Amino acid sequence: MAEVKLVIRVYFVDDSFKTLAVNSNISAKDLAMNVVAEKIELQQKETFALFYYKNGECRCLDDDEQPCKLMVHETVGSDADFQKYIGEKMEWEKLKKEWEKDSKIVFKRRVFLKHKAIPREQDKFLHYSYIQAVADVRDGTYPCSQSAAIELAGLQMQVTFGDHNKKVHVAGFLKDKIGRFIPAPLLQSNRKLDDWEKDIFNEHARITGIKKEDAMLHYLNHVRNWSFYGSTFWSVQTVNKDTANLPDQVVLAVNSNGIQLLKLGTKEPILTQRYADIYSWAYKRNAFAFVSGVLSKQKFQFATPHGKDIARTLQAYVEILLEERKKDGRIN
């Protein structure tokens, strides 16, 4: 019997998407690496993965998860008859319409190696890294000062519109677009649109002549200097706050350096544990813990429903960093 094909949408962080006909039992890894990456002609695909978004929350899909089954079970229920939807086109279309009200599958970077520069000639990798950085700045995932936001907005204007044109880029030009260029938290201030536009246009005019790809690189190089660039963040509850000397709630970040514990809201660093200093980690349904220290070990325990995702993200970084060391000849 021929494998049934289902039509699904896979989104990117800028809300663009590809419509794909895929095998009903395709795995998340196969869909990401062998379908989406090929469709968008992305060669440097190892650091990308598929994420499940629902109502502003997201998690990375396990390699062996089946996105089509996920769509059915999350929309109808875990006891739904999957065969009903793969056998009837109308049923699948109805389910997709319901699914898309609050859910989507997103293809984006999962792992960021801060020590590795992004080559200009890798245009696809550059593009998808850039749009993800813009999204993380825009929604406040990366805290950003007003001056940095204006500098980044100028670069984004150059990427989006080309050189500054004083006949086109006039007062009111960004009226319906300002949220695409300035981080949401900064827009909550009482600063007027005219003031934002004036500063952004001045910055945009200052960099006239910069090519689109170079503007993308400048943008990425700016945010790559931030300590939390490329981090995945989870708000967690500290269980052993007295022995760990931590606040009740912290933001736990995982990146290419290791684990960072940050202040809730501001994301100011409290503690950084590099991979070389992390002895072990473990998770269960509503908890995550790690042990650090070489000579004297200390345990950090947190209550969180995201323990599995934290552990899997750590493992993804370790595997890629080890692979990098093998390529460099630092380990056999």
Side-chain angles (χ1 to χ4, degrees):
M1 182 178 176
E3 180 61 56
V4 176
K5 295 277 189 178
L6 296 175
V7 176
I8 65 171
R9 280 182 177 179
V10 175
Y11 284 80
F12 305 96
V13 293
D14 61 354
D15 283 333
S16 63
F17 61 86
K18 294 291 183 184
T19 301
L20 307 164
V22 300
N23 291 338
S24 60
N25 64 351
I26 193 169
S27 69
K29 184 175 182 179
D30 193 16
L31 178 56
M33 297 295 103
N34 300 322
V35 179
V36 179
E38 286 189 15
K39 184 74 173 179
I40 62 176
E41 300 178 335
L42 175 67
Q43 294 181 344
Q44 301 78 21
K45 58 189 179 182
E46 296 81 8
T47 59
F48 286 78
L50 290 178
F51 288 75
Y52 166 42
Y53 276 63
K54 182 171 184 175
N55 294 327
E57 296 286 327
C58 82
R59 69 171 178 86
C60 185
L61 296 185
D62 291 337
D63 285 348
D64 58 355
E65 274 192 86
Q66 297 180 15
C68 295
K69 280 189 177 179
L70 172 75
M71 291 172 65
V72 172
H73 294 159
E74 289 292 335
T75 305
V76 184
S78 58
D79 58 348
D81 180 9
F82 183 55
Q83 295 301 317
K84 169 185 174 182
Y85 296 94
I86 66 174
E88 295 288 341
K89 184 178 179 181
M90 290 296 293
E91 290 293 332
W92 179 252
E93 291 302 318
K94 282 166 56 180
L95 178 127
K96 275 202 308 176
K97 188 174 181 180
E98 190 65 26
W99 156 270
E100 289 172 358
K101 288 180 180 178
D102 60 9
S103 304
K104 59 184 176 180
I105 301 294
V106 178
F107 179 83
K108 68 175 187 176
R109 285 186 72 181
R110 181 188 190 189
V111 171
F112 299 76
L113 302 178
K114 287 189 67 174
H115 62 281
K116 293 191 70 174
I118 297 173
R120 186 182 186 278
E121 60 272 14
Q122 294 179 2
D123 58 329
K124 299 294 184 181
F125 187 72
L126 172 60
H127 169 75
Y128 288 102
S129 298
Y130 165 76
I131 63 171
Q132 191 159 338
V134 169
D136 286 335
V137 170
R138 185 181 60 223
D139 67 14
T141 297
Y142 297 157
C144 184
S145 68
Q146 180 174 302
S147 59
I150 290 167
E151 182 178 344
L152 292 173
L155 289 165
Q156 191 182 346
M157 288 280 291
Q158 189 71 14
V159 172
T160 308
F161 302 113
D163 286 345
H164 181 73
N165 185 334
K166 62 182 180 181
K167 293 182 179 179
V168 175
H169 303 133
V170 296
F173 178 78
L174 292 177
K175 181 179 180 181
D176 300 322
K177 309 179 187 74
I178 192 67
R180 290 166 48 191
F181 294 88
I182 295 298
L186 292 180
L187 288 178
Q188 294 173 5
S189 69
N190 294 324
R191 201 162 198 259
K192 295 179 180 179
L193 174 65
D194 289 350
D195 295 328
W196 283 118
E197 284 189 319
K198 180 181 177 182
D199 288 339
I200 293 171
F201 291 161
N202 285 340
E203 181 62 25
H204 185 203
R206 187 183 69 81
I207 59 174
T208 294
I210 293 181
K211 293 181 179 179
K212 179 178 180 178
E213 293 77 11
D214 291 323
M216 286 183 181
L217 272 176
H218 283 306
Y219 192 107
L220 281 166
N221 287 336
H222 188 118
V223 299
R224 282 177 69 237
N225 286 325
W226 295 343
S227 63
F228 39 71
Y229 168 70
S231 297
T232 305
F233 301 97
W234 297 270
S235 295
V236 297
Q237 184 83 31
T238 309
V239 173
N240 60 333
K241 61 181 181 180
D242 294 330
T243 56
N245 194 27
L246 293 172
D248 288 344
Q249 285 187 301
V250 296
V251 174
L252 188 153
V254 173
N255 54 43
S256 61
N257 291 324
I259 295 174
Q260 283 185 303
L261 300 179
L262 313 169
K263 290 183 180 179
L264 200 65
T266 63
K267 290 181 179 166
E268 293 177 54
I270 300 172
L271 180 70
T272 298
Q273 296 290 338
R274 304 182 71 84
Y275 286 107
D277 299 323
I278 299 172
Y279 182 75
S280 65
W281 64 76
Y283 74 91
K284 53 186 179 181
R285 184 176 180 182
N286 289 306
F288 174 79
F290 71 92
V291 177
S292 68
V294 179
L295 297 177
S296 61
K297 295 179 174 58
Q298 183 175 11
K299 189 172 186 178
F300 298 85
Q301 297 173 282
F302 306 97
T304 172
H306 307 295
K308 181 180 179 181
D309 212 18
I310 297 171
R312 288 180 60 251
T313 304
L314 282 165
Q315 189 62 36
Y317 270 105
V318 168
E319 289 173 0
I320 285 188
L321 289 168
L322 284 174
E323 190 62 32
E324 288 291 314
R325 293 183 68 185
K326 286 180 182 178
K327 289 178 182 177
D328 294 342
R330 285 179 283 168
I331 58 175
N332 296 321

